[in-house]
Amino acid sequence: MGGAYPDARGRYGRWGGRYVPETLMGALTRLESQAREAMHSGRFARALDKELATWVGRPTPLTHAPRLGEAWGASVWLKREDLAHTGAHKINNALGQVLLAKRMGAKRIVAETGAGQHGVATAAACARLGMSCVVYMGAVDVERQAPNVRRMRMMGAEVVPVTAGDATLRAAVDEALRDWVSDPEGTFYVLGSAVGPHPYPWLVRELQAVIGRETREQVLAATERLPDLLVACVGGGSNAIGLFHPFVADADVAMLGVEAGGRGTGLGEHAAPLTHGREGVLHGARSMLLHDEHGQVHETASVSAGLDYPSVGPEHALFAEVGRATYIAVSDEEALDALEEVAQLEGILIALETAHAFAGARQWAAKNPGGLIVVGTSGRGDKDLDILARARPQEAP
């Protein structure tokens, strides 16, 4: 199923597409043409693979988690994107897109970021490859992710706080798109997740699929079988689609995407469009979206800045529609509990985004004892220490 998508119009069934101003159509068409040419270029592939191996540190390990497994009654393995350079899976996509930007002759990079990990990854890739970098970040996220803001600036990026709208990830994407529209030839927009107009969902998927390809090889080598379940957190959905996609044809491998359930099920209380949303168009793509009966996009709520987005990648919308993957939402409190459990049982401080995946995996394990589970460990949690101290002050030193 997965290999056939997107179609020639950039659609995943009825999802996806390219709903953008006419001023961007030429830039997107050029991007698609150049990206497809690069993906079939041995020279580009060799350059990307070399940087992934010698600078990013790929392949990332697949780590057995015996104490979690004992607690859950399962065989638990962690795909360790938290050990990639800059601390998350975001670097796979950022590096690939900045390399593509250089190949296309762009002089300037713009990006958006929520939790800051994509911003850090883009800033790092630009420093590595000698490109100027501007990162748009919601003012709310600038405050709650201050360590990542400092990291971006140390690597030479200009960080622009966005105060419009909800002042989180959606507003940051809006501003990055406006910047790109003003100079679509000289500027390259490095979009951080598998969202937006075609070809971005496809391009991000292709660059993140290295996660799933490595996982397949590693789990077969370690266990001589494929997993019963793959689990990943889902905001825009890039780490999840990267883990899931190489397994799409394996019908016996279940896939679970875990969204941010926030503090409730009403509009404005969560960031779970696949669980609680409805069909709509945002940032150039048709997908599931958190909006009301009048079409007004609602603000989201989550303890994790990186999942705080009102829509989701169109390929996830397709997987949910056809039943290839299951999507659930877990609350802030469940994610915080999972983060503490992983830290105390395995000595790994995971990101708040990642903690949602662990909370969902534990729920699945309770209903499927003895299963072999691979959890996409999308990022490390040192960026979240200030948030954790505020969320659970009784446990802060």
Side-chain angles (χ1 to χ4, degrees):
M1 183 192 85
Y5 293 102
D7 64 16
R9 296 188 301 161
R11 296 181 183 273
Y12 303 79
R14 62 197 177 98
W15 311 101
R18 189 180 283 169
Y19 299 84
V20 297
E22 194 66 30
T23 51
L24 275 182
M25 288 300 290
L28 287 166
T29 300
R30 177 171 174 259
L31 172 59
E32 180 183 6
S33 173
Q34 292 285 326
R36 291 192 180 279
E37 182 179 304
M39 291 299 182
H40 291 95
S41 163
R43 183 176 180 181
F44 181 85
R46 287 190 297 273
L48 178 58
D49 288 347
K50 180 180 178 181
E51 291 294 317
L52 288 172
T54 63
W55 185 63
V56 173
R58 305 209 70 88
T60 57
L62 184 72
T63 301
H64 187 219
R67 297 194 68 208
L68 275 179
E70 183 179 356
W72 295 0
S75 177
V76 182
W77 297 78
L78 316 181
K79 181 54 174 166
R80 300 291 304 281
E81 295 303 291
D82 59 311
L83 296 181
H85 178 46
T86 69
H89 71 289
K90 294 292 189 180
I91 193 65
N92 307 318
N93 171 58
L95 175 63
Q97 287 200 47
V98 175
L99 276 169
L100 179 60
K102 285 204 76 167
R103 176 187 171 99
M104 292 174 63
K107 304 301 182 185
R108 177 174 174 271
I109 298 294
V110 297
E112 89 298 327
T113 197
Q117 286 304 124
H118 174 60
V120 170
T122 304
C126 287
R128 175 74 170 176
L129 298 172
M131 300 283 283
S132 68
C133 179
V134 177
V135 179
Y136 291 94
M137 189 174 190
V140 170
D141 295 333
V142 168
E143 180 179 353
R144 63 179 172 174
Q145 294 290 349
N148 274 344
V149 174
R150 290 193 291 271
R151 293 171 73 196
M152 285 182 266
R153 287 174 172 158
M154 287 186 71
M155 286 184 279
E158 178 188 354
V159 181
V160 180
V162 179
T163 57
D166 60 4
T168 61
L169 182 57
R170 173 165 65 101
V173 175
D174 289 340
E175 289 303 313
L177 283 169
R178 288 189 187 101
D179 188 321
W180 189 32
V181 168
S182 71
D183 180 25
E185 294 295 324
T187 297
F188 187 105
Y189 178 22
V190 176
L191 210 165
S193 196
V195 299
H198 179 66
Y200 280 110
W202 162 79
L203 176 59
V204 175
R205 180 193 80 192
E206 292 298 290
L207 293 170
Q208 292 291 6
V210 64
I211 301 171
R213 292 195 298 269
E214 289 178 4
T215 299
R216 171 182 284 276
E217 294 180 5
Q218 291 166 327
V219 74
L220 285 171
T223 70
E224 299 183 341
R225 55 168 291 198
L226 292 178
D228 297 305
L229 179 73
L230 301 170
V231 190
C233 62
V234 176
S238 62
N239 91 96
I241 206 65
L243 178 63
F244 292 174
H245 199 265
F247 293 87
V248 167
D250 300 296
D252 292 336
V253 178
M255 300 174 179
L256 178 65
V258 187
E259 297 186 294
R263 59 177 183 267
T265 59
L267 274 175
E269 296 181 327
H270 58 80
L274 288 167
T275 309
H276 300 300
R278 63 180 80 184
E279 184 175 347
V281 174
L282 181 67
H283 294 143
R286 180 175 297 279
S287 188
M288 294 298 286
L289 178 61
L290 296 174
H291 61 124
D292 61 23
E293 64 273 18
H294 305 294
Q296 296 300 308
V297 179
H298 269 247
E299 294 183 8
T300 51
S302 173
V303 71
S304 58
L307 303 184
D308 215 352
Y309 185 65
S311 189
V312 66
E315 195 160 9
H316 287 295
L318 173 66
F319 286 178
E321 181 180 42
V322 303
R324 182 60 190 94
T326 300
Y327 298 87
I328 64 172
V330 302
S331 69
D332 287 348
E333 288 302 310
E334 289 171 316
L336 289 163
D337 288 343
L339 186 149
E340 292 179 1
E341 181 181 41
V342 176
Q344 292 169 13
L345 292 185
E346 295 294 339
I348 301 171
L349 180 59
I350 56 174
L352 277 166
E353 293 77 16
T354 308
H356 288 72
F358 281 84
R362 179 162 193 158
Q363 291 181 18
W364 187 91
K367 299 173 184 177
N368 300 272
L372 196 165
I373 303 171
V374 172
V375 185
T377 308
S378 59
R380 68 189 189 209
D382 50 331
K383 68 181 178 61
D384 296 320
L385 289 173
D386 290 345
I387 296 174
L388 294 171
R390 291 193 294 270
R392 295 200 166 165
Q394 70 279 7
E395 296 168 16

